[in-house]
Amino acid sequence: FKSVTFEDSLFKNCVFEDITSLNTYFRNCTFVNTTFYNTDLEQYKFVDSELIKCTFFHIRTECQISFNDDYSAYWIYFVNFLGTLAVLPGNIVSALLMDRIGRLTMLG
């Protein structure tokens, strides 16, 4: 799930398995006899929700990328551009050496 908000929903006899959520919340929901297996749905994502006979197995708590306003697409492309520029001198030197000493010698 990516940025989904469930409101006033009833989940009965459900199984949530292998779910990764980013900014997903359950507001005022009711869960009855529900199993959460290998998910990252933690308690803070259940706002004013009621959990009745629910079980949680293997809850994941690893870091996840979130694209907030501070981390816009511009910075992603700019960092990739800088990484490409860092490799450029090595590519130029490789091409010049390959022409000078030959491809087989360079490969060796």
Side-chain angles (χ1 to χ4, degrees), residues 43-55:
Q43 287 291 44
Y44 72 91
K45 295 192 177 200
F46 301 100
V47 180
D48 296 330
S49 294
E50 187 176 4
L51 300 163
I52 302 169
K53 294 183 181 177
C54 295
T55 53

Side-chain angles (χ1 to χ4, degrees), residues 22-87:
L22 182 65
N23 294 330
T24 297
Y25 295 97
F26 298 91
R27 288 194 172 91
N28 199 20
C29 294
T30 305
F31 296 86
V32 180
N33 198 20
T34 302
T35 303
F36 298 91
Y37 180 77
N38 198 23
T39 66
D40 65 349
L41 299 173
E42 297 183 42
Q43 287 291 44
Y44 72 91
K45 295 192 177 200
F46 301 100
V47 180
D48 296 330
S49 294
E50 187 176 4
L51 300 163
I52 302 169
K53 294 183 181 177
C54 295
T55 53
F56 292 84
F57 297 107
H58 304 288
I59 302 301
R60 294 181 289 178
T61 57
E62 68 258 6
C63 295
Q64 296 178 359
I65 294 176
S66 62
F67 295 99
N68 297 331
D69 295 334
D70 299 342
Y71 199 69
S72 65
Y74 167 77
W75 287 109
I76 294 171
Y77 290 115
F78 184 69
V79 169
N80 283 331
F81 175 71
L82 289 179
T84 304
L85 281 180
V87 175

